[in-house]
Amino acid sequence: MALHFEPEEYAARRDRLKLKMDEEKLDAILLFAQESMYWLTGYDSFGFGFFQCLIVKSDGSMVLLTRAADLRQARHTSNIDNIIQWTDRDNANPAVDLRNLLSELDLLGSRIGIEYQTHGLTGSNARKLDDQLQSFAKIIDASSFVDQLRLLKSPAEIGFIKKAAELSDEVLDKALELIQAGASEADILAAMISANIAANGDFPANDYIIGSGKDALLCRYKAGRRKLNKNDQLTLEWSGVYRHYHAPMMRTVLTGKPSKRHLELYEAASEALAVVEKSLNATSSFGDVFESYAKVMEAHDLTRHRMNVCGYSVGARFAPTWMEPQMFNAGNPERIQPDMTLCANIIIMDSDTETAMTLGQTYLTTNAEAVSLTRHSTELIVK
């Protein structure tokens, strides 16, 4: 088996899940998020694009229901002993196979939690699942159970995220070697991806963001490339990735002479990131972190140019996003605790003047101040 953690690590994770299930009086939980399966068993696949489910009973026993294409994948990458296939065929309904399997596991009439909030369970499959189980068992929405357990990282996980952060730094190094007037976005992006993979990294859970000129104001990847002008702006968001663990960063890099507006937005972004960093401690909630950011934006008259989120938890993630569900947004009561890995992103997009400015990086929370995991400074980068 190609497992990345020691058996004791997986056993501890299973024990934590069993305690949660006991608290919620669950006889079983049905996991559909690939992150949950990877965290609990090591199972590593993009097969979640199709119907698959990891059944975990209250006694800790596990059964994976998946397709033939992932049978050997599960055997090779996970510690799951019991793997059952459902058969691809015209008009197949794997929810029926799952119900029959649950019956064989003596779960008829039991209390079952389901992980609904995941890209691994489409709306169509969720409806099929509910149709099959509504009279079979008492169904509980258990979407956040494993997400909450994953929020606090173990020492081994923190080691992987620190390695991912080292890769993030190397990716920025390679980008900065190429960024100048006349440089091609294609060459810059190719160098960034190559730096991560060549250093034994993995594919990121979402595309790197790269955009210059007007496209520097975009917060998502888009197809199409351009070359940088003499006085230009280039927004980059990327992450080093090690064993699926991420440590994202974000920067807006300028070529030529910075405009007055760029300097104004950088001053605000730098101040906001410093305030956010200071708030990453046990006296704050995720909502408090957002409020500290929002106050700086308001003081600089940038409320309508800011985002409604200024960061999120990160860890081991699969497509389509490297963001964990917990975000720095208004009113979020989640408390900051030691051993969280959190990405703070300050994004200011002034569409009136078509000026972009971003600053973002990953932190490790401790019993005291949060620790930045990058060796790069937050100074404005001008090439």
mmCIF file of all heavy atoms in Angstrom, residues 126-151:
data_model
loop_
_atom_site.group_PDB
_atom_site.id
_atom_site.type_symbol
_atom_site.label_atom_id
_atom_site.label_comp_id
_atom_site.label_asym_id
_atom_site.label_seq_id
_atom_site.Cartn_x
_atom_site.Cartn_y
_atom_site.Cartn_z
ATOM 1 N N ALA A 126 -27.612 12.449 -5.100
ATOM 2 C CA ALA A 126 -28.188 12.663 -3.772
ATOM 3 C C ALA A 126 -29.684 12.361 -3.776
ATOM 4 O O ALA A 126 -30.224 11.780 -2.826
ATOM 5 C CB ALA A 126 -27.936 14.099 -3.313
ATOM 6 N N ARG A 127 -30.376 12.748 -4.844
ATOM 7 C CA ARG A 127 -31.803 12.447 -4.943
ATOM 8 C C ARG A 127 -32.039 10.942 -5.030
ATOM 9 O O ARG A 127 -32.949 10.401 -4.386
ATOM 10 C CB ARG A 127 -32.402 13.148 -6.171
ATOM 11 C CG ARG A 127 -32.435 14.661 -6.069
ATOM 12 C CD ARG A 127 -33.112 15.306 -7.253
ATOM 13 N NE ARG A 127 -34.531 14.931 -7.340
ATOM 14 C CZ ARG A 127 -35.357 15.399 -8.264
ATOM 15 N NH1 ARG A 127 -34.913 16.270 -9.175
ATOM 16 N NH2 ARG A 127 -36.617 15.028 -8.289
ATOM 17 N N LYS A 128 -31.204 10.270 -5.811
ATOM 18 C CA LYS A 128 -31.327 8.807 -5.908
ATOM 19 C C LYS A 128 -31.065 8.155 -4.550
ATOM 20 O O LYS A 128 -31.742 7.191 -4.166
ATOM 21 C CB LYS A 128 -30.342 8.265 -6.950
ATOM 22 C CG LYS A 128 -30.662 8.661 -8.378
ATOM 23 C CD LYS A 128 -29.572 8.180 -9.341
ATOM 24 C CE LYS A 128 -29.861 8.620 -10.769
ATOM 25 N NZ LYS A 128 -28.770 8.212 -11.699
ATOM 26 N N LEU A 129 -30.065 8.690 -3.847
ATOM 27 C CA LEU A 129 -29.721 8.149 -2.537
ATOM 28 C C LEU A 129 -30.881 8.325 -1.557
ATOM 29 O O LEU A 129 -31.265 7.378 -0.851
ATOM 30 C CB LEU A 129 -28.467 8.861 -2.019
ATOM 31 C CG LEU A 129 -27.920 8.415 -0.671
ATOM 32 C CD1 LEU A 129 -27.382 7.004 -0.753
ATOM 33 C CD2 LEU A 129 -26.818 9.373 -0.207
ATOM 34 N N ASP A 130 -31.449 9.511 -1.520
ATOM 35 C CA ASP A 130 -32.571 9.762 -0.619
ATOM 36 C C ASP A 130 -33.771 8.884 -0.959
ATOM 37 O O ASP A 130 -34.466 8.397 -0.059
ATOM 38 C CB ASP A 130 -32.970 11.239 -0.670
ATOM 39 C CG ASP A 130 -31.980 12.145 0.043
ATOM 40 O OD1 ASP A 130 -31.143 11.624 0.804
ATOM 41 O OD2 ASP A 130 -32.038 13.368 -0.170
ATOM 42 N N ASP A 131 -34.024 8.698 -2.254
ATOM 43 C CA ASP A 131 -35.139 7.840 -2.668
ATOM 44 C C ASP A 131 -34.979 6.426 -2.123
ATOM 45 O O ASP A 131 -35.960 5.785 -1.717
ATOM 46 C CB ASP A 131 -35.236 7.789 -4.198
ATOM 47 C CG ASP A 131 -35.778 9.070 -4.798
ATOM 48 O OD1 ASP A 131 -36.346 9.874 -4.037
ATOM 49 O OD2 ASP A 131 -35.604 9.276 -6.017
ATOM 50 N N GLN A 132 -33.736 5.948 -2.092
ATOM 51 C CA GLN A 132 -33.484 4.577 -1.652
ATOM 52 C C GLN A 132 -33.456 4.440 -0.133
ATOM 53 O O GLN A 132 -33.786 3.383 0.401
ATOM 54 C CB GLN A 132 -32.153 4.075 -2.234
ATOM 55 C CG GLN A 132 -32.150 3.914 -3.738
ATOM 56 C CD GLN A 132 -33.186 2.921 -4.215
ATOM 57 O OE1 GLN A 132 -33.377 1.851 -3.607
ATOM 58 N NE2 GLN A 132 -33.869 3.251 -5.299
ATOM 59 N N LEU A 133 -33.076 5.491 0.566
ATOM 60 C CA LEU A 133 -32.850 5.364 2.013
ATOM 61 C C LEU A 133 -33.929 5.988 2.885
ATOM 62 O O LEU A 133 -33.913 5.793 4.102
ATOM 63 C CB LEU A 133 -31.493 5.979 2.375
ATOM 64 C CG LEU A 133 -30.252 5.337 1.757
ATOM 65 C CD1 LEU A 133 -28.986 5.961 2.330
ATOM 66 C CD2 LEU A 133 -30.235 3.830 1.951
ATOM 67 N N GLN A 134 -34.865 6.753 2.296
ATOM 68 C CA GLN A 134 -35.834 7.469 3.128
ATOM 69 C C GLN A 134 -36.705 6.536 3.973
ATOM 70 O O GLN A 134 -37.115 6.901 5.081
ATOM 71 C CB GLN A 134 -36.724 8.364 2.255
ATOM 72 C CG GLN A 134 -37.520 7.630 1.194
ATOM 73 C CD GLN A 134 -38.289 8.605 0.299
ATOM 74 O OE1 GLN A 134 -38.351 9.799 0.572
ATOM 75 N NE2 GLN A 134 -38.863 8.087 -0.781
ATOM 76 N N SER A 135 -36.972 5.336 3.481
ATOM 77 C CA SER A 135 -37.744 4.377 4.283
ATOM 78 C C SER A 135 -36.869 3.252 4.833
ATOM 79 O O SER A 135 -37.371 2.323 5.459
ATOM 80 C CB SER A 135 -38.877 3.782 3.440
ATOM 81 O OG SER A 135 -38.357 3.078 2.324
ATOM 82 N N PHE A 136 -35.549 3.364 4.600
ATOM 83 C CA PHE A 136 -34.620 2.315 5.021
ATOM 84 C C PHE A 136 -34.038 2.614 6.398
ATOM 85 O O PHE A 136 -33.819 1.710 7.217
ATOM 86 C CB PHE A 136 -33.493 2.193 3.995
ATOM 87 C CG PHE A 136 -32.448 1.165 4.338
ATOM 88 C CD1 PHE A 136 -32.589 -0.157 3.934
ATOM 89 C CD2 PHE A 136 -31.302 1.512 5.060
ATOM 90 C CE1 PHE A 136 -31.625 -1.112 4.248
ATOM 91 C CE2 PHE A 136 -30.345 0.578 5.379
ATOM 92 C CZ PHE A 136 -30.507 -0.753 4.976
ATOM 93 N N ALA A 137 -33.747 3.909 6.654
ATOM 94 C CA ALA A 137 -33.066 4.285 7.897
ATOM 95 C C ALA A 137 -33.412 5.723 8.245
ATOM 96 O O ALA A 137 -34.008 6.459 7.449
ATOM 97 C CB ALA A 137 -31.559 4.122 7.737
ATOM 98 N N LYS A 138 -33.038 6.139 9.442
ATOM 99 C CA LYS A 138 -33.150 7.526 9.857
ATOM 100 C C LYS A 138 -31.923 8.257 9.344
ATOM 101 O O LYS A 138 -30.783 7.945 9.716
ATOM 102 C CB LYS A 138 -33.212 7.615 11.393
ATOM 103 C CG LYS A 138 -33.175 9.025 11.945
ATOM 104 C CD LYS A 138 -34.391 9.830 11.576
ATOM 105 C CE LYS A 138 -34.373 11.190 12.258
ATOM 106 N NZ LYS A 138 -35.536 12.029 11.872
ATOM 107 N N ILE A 139 -32.145 9.254 8.456
ATOM 108 C CA ILE A 139 -31.040 9.918 7.775
ATOM 109 C C ILE A 139 -30.712 11.246 8.461
ATOM 110 O O ILE A 139 -31.598 12.058 8.727
ATOM 111 C CB ILE A 139 -31.385 10.159 6.293
ATOM 112 C CG1 ILE A 139 -31.658 8.829 5.590
ATOM 113 C CG2 ILE A 139 -30.260 10.918 5.602
ATOM 114 C CD1 ILE A 139 -30.519 7.851 5.662
ATOM 115 N N ILE A 140 -29.424 11.475 8.723
ATOM 116 C CA ILE A 140 -28.926 12.691 9.346
ATOM 117 C C ILE A 140 -27.915 13.353 8.402
ATOM 118 O O ILE A 140 -27.058 12.674 7.831
ATOM 119 C CB ILE A 140 -28.237 12.391 10.694
ATOM 120 C CG1 ILE A 140 -29.163 11.600 11.613
ATOM 121 C CG2 ILE A 140 -27.759 13.681 11.354
ATOM 122 C CD1 ILE A 140 -30.435 12.313 11.980
ATOM 123 N N ASP A 141 -28.014 14.670 8.228
ATOM 124 C CA ASP A 141 -27.017 15.402 7.441
ATOM 125 C C ASP A 141 -25.740 15.522 8.270
ATOM 126 O O ASP A 141 -25.688 16.255 9.262
ATOM 127 C CB ASP A 141 -27.540 16.784 7.066
ATOM 128 C CG ASP A 141 -26.622 17.516 6.088
ATOM 129 O OD1 ASP A 141 -25.438 17.147 5.971
ATOM 130 O OD2 ASP A 141 -27.095 18.483 5.454
ATOM 131 N N ALA A 142 -24.713 14.791 7.874
ATOM 132 C CA ALA A 142 -23.437 14.770 8.601
ATOM 133 C C ALA A 142 -22.328 15.416 7.768
ATOM 134 O O ALA A 142 -21.162 15.035 7.855
ATOM 135 C CB ALA A 142 -23.065 13.332 8.950
ATOM 136 N N SER A 143 -22.706 16.422 6.988
ATOM 137 C CA SER A 143 -21.770 17.007 6.028
ATOM 138 C C SER A 143 -20.509 17.569 6.662
ATOM 139 O O SER A 143 -19.433 17.505 6.073
ATOM 140 C CB SER A 143 -22.471 18.114 5.238
ATOM 141 O OG SER A 143 -23.518 17.591 4.448
ATOM 142 N N SER A 144 -20.626 18.137 7.855
ATOM 143 C CA SER A 144 -19.482 18.849 8.433
ATOM 144 C C SER A 144 -18.662 18.006 9.405
ATOM 145 O O SER A 144 -17.653 18.486 9.923
ATOM 146 C CB SER A 144 -19.981 20.094 9.177
ATOM 147 O OG SER A 144 -20.783 19.723 10.289
ATOM 148 N N PHE A 145 -19.048 16.762 9.636
ATOM 149 C CA PHE A 145 -18.412 15.984 10.704
ATOM 150 C C PHE A 145 -16.917 15.791 10.462
ATOM 151 O O PHE A 145 -16.094 16.114 11.322
ATOM 152 C CB PHE A 145 -19.099 14.626 10.856
ATOM 153 C CG PHE A 145 -20.469 14.701 11.485
ATOM 154 C CD1 PHE A 145 -21.110 15.912 11.683
ATOM 155 C CD2 PHE A 145 -21.134 13.556 11.879
ATOM 156 C CE1 PHE A 145 -22.364 15.994 12.254
ATOM 157 C CE2 PHE A 145 -22.395 13.621 12.460
ATOM 158 C CZ PHE A 145 -23.002 14.840 12.642
ATOM 159 N N VAL A 146 -16.556 15.259 9.314
ATOM 160 C CA VAL A 146 -15.135 15.004 9.041
ATOM 161 C C VAL A 146 -14.408 16.317 8.754
ATOM 162 O O VAL A 146 -13.246 16.476 9.131
ATOM 163 C CB VAL A 146 -14.961 13.999 7.893
ATOM 164 C CG1 VAL A 146 -13.482 13.772 7.579
ATOM 165 C CG2 VAL A 146 -15.622 12.674 8.239
ATOM 166 N N ASP A 147 -15.084 17.267 8.088
ATOM 167 C CA ASP A 147 -14.469 18.578 7.863
ATOM 168 C C ASP A 147 -14.000 19.203 9.161
ATOM 169 O O ASP A 147 -12.915 19.791 9.234
ATOM 170 C CB ASP A 147 -15.478 19.519 7.184
ATOM 171 C CG ASP A 147 -15.663 19.222 5.710
ATOM 172 O OD1 ASP A 147 -14.780 18.580 5.124
ATOM 173 O OD2 ASP A 147 -16.691 19.637 5.154
ATOM 174 N N GLN A 148 -14.806 19.103 10.199
ATOM 175 C CA GLN A 148 -14.433 19.667 11.488
ATOM 176 C C GLN A 148 -13.249 18.935 12.106
ATOM 177 O O GLN A 148 -12.360 19.557 12.689
ATOM 178 C CB GLN A 148 -15.621 19.621 12.453
ATOM 179 C CG GLN A 148 -16.686 20.659 12.193
ATOM 180 C CD GLN A 148 -16.163 22.062 12.359
ATOM 181 O OE1 GLN A 148 -16.191 22.858 11.416
ATOM 182 N NE2 GLN A 148 -15.681 22.394 13.529
ATOM 183 N N LEU A 149 -13.222 17.623 11.961
ATOM 184 C CA LEU A 149 -12.094 16.854 12.492
ATOM 185 C C LEU A 149 -10.809 17.197 11.757
ATOM 186 O O LEU A 149 -9.726 17.233 12.351
ATOM 187 C CB LEU A 149 -12.382 15.360 12.376
ATOM 188 C CG LEU A 149 -13.574 14.827 13.181
ATOM 189 C CD1 LEU A 149 -13.790 13.339 12.892
ATOM 190 C CD2 LEU A 149 -13.381 15.054 14.675
ATOM 191 N N ARG A 150 -10.908 17.478 10.472
ATOM 192 C CA ARG A 150 -9.739 17.764 9.647
ATOM 193 C C ARG A 150 -9.204 19.180 9.876
ATOM 194 O O ARG A 150 -8.094 19.504 9.459
ATOM 195 C CB ARG A 150 -10.072 17.589 8.165
ATOM 196 C CG ARG A 150 -10.397 16.159 7.757
ATOM 197 C CD ARG A 150 -10.784 16.039 6.290
ATOM 198 N NE ARG A 150 -9.720 16.517 5.436
ATOM 199 C CZ ARG A 150 -9.807 17.600 4.663
ATOM 200 N NH1 ARG A 150 -10.901 18.318 4.639
ATOM 201 N NH2 ARG A 150 -8.791 17.966 3.920
ATOM 202 N N LEU A 151 -9.999 20.027 10.508
ATOM 203 C CA LEU A 151 -9.609 21.425 10.692
ATOM 204 C C LEU A 151 -8.338 21.554 11.532
ATOM 205 O O LEU A 151 -7.483 22.403 11.265
ATOM 206 C CB LEU A 151 -10.763 22.186 11.342
ATOM 207 C CG LEU A 151 -10.664 23.697 11.489
ATOM 208 C CD1 LEU A 151 -10.328 24.365 10.160
ATOM 209 C CD2 LEU A 151 -11.962 24.255 12.050
#
